Amino acid sequence: QVVLTQSPSASASLGASVKLTCTLTSGHSGYAIAWHQQQPEKGPRFLMNVNRDGSHSKGDGIPDRFSGSSSGAERYLTVSSLQSEDEADYYCQTWGIDTVVFGGGTKLTVL
Amino acid sequence: EVQLLESGGGLVQPGGSLRLSCAASGFTFKNFAMSWVRQAPGKGLEWVSAISDGGGAYYADSVKGRVTISRDNSKKTLYLQMNSLRAEDTAVYYCAKEADGDYVLEYWGQGTLVTVSS
């Protein structure tokens, strides 16, 4: 069973960049994942999916400030030129046989 | 524009039942798999169930045997029948549309709150 691991929290200054990490369990390093953003008191929003080769495909209306990449069993979400509205919880998601799996989420604070 | 609108949440006693609905628009509903995902207060996202475009159903172990997912393609509506509800089922329940060909949840609803309490 695939498991996704995320750091519970991250922080960066307004206008800076931050890179969030989602780590796949050993044996599942080839899996693609999706990133979702959840702003306070709102439902989740799909940001992008990230493949094992680092290619990514963004959802509708997602700004260019959001990008994805990959290295081994790690999948990344980079947010550049941080804005106050980027302060949110970020979840990675993947899928196994007849199941969908979420990481525990990273709470991003914009300082 | 894809829209997903959940309804049916509310307060229910332990052991009770509830049926959630998700009205879909803006895409050809019958062609896509759909999922239910929940979020307990202050917690992360937890996948609950999915149904393929062909009607195949899948469940998380935490709800297996107590929950039934279904869809009515003529009404463009997704359902989640929940029985034998427990306090730990208290959560906001979201429906989500899966992308074509994989299990990426590419559109989400705004959620409906289910509270299980006496």
Side-chain angles (χ1 to χ4, degrees), chain A residues 10-84:
Chain A
S11 63
S13 299
L14 200 64
S17 294
V18 67
K19 190 174 187 179
L20 306 183
T21 303
C22 175
T23 304
L24 291 146
T25 38
S26 174
H28 301 94
S29 60
Y31 280 44
I33 66 114
W35 285 102
H36 303 277
Q37 177 196 60
Q38 187 176 32
Q39 295 172 320
E41 307 306 318
K42 290 190 174 182
R45 176 176 70 153
F46 168 66
L47 294 176
M48 68 184 72
N49 60 295
V50 181
N51 298 311
R52 64 183 298 179
D53 62 358
S55 60
H56 56 280
S57 176
K58 288 194 275 192
D60 294 341
I62 303 303
D64 291 342
R65 304 186 294 105
F66 291 84
S67 63
S69 58
S70 180
S71 176
E74 295 189 331
R75 307 287 180 265
Y76 307 108
L77 172 69
T78 299
V79 187
S80 305
S81 302
L82 275 167
Q83 301 181 5
S84 57

Side-chain angles (χ1 to χ4, degrees), chain B residues 47-71:
Chain B
W47 175 74
V48 174
S49 180
I51 186 167
S52 70
D53 55 346
Y58 311 96
Y59 302 95
D61 288 343
S62 58
V63 301
K64 202 170 290 184
R66 301 187 298 119
V67 160
T68 303
I69 191 171
S70 62
R71 63 192 299 160

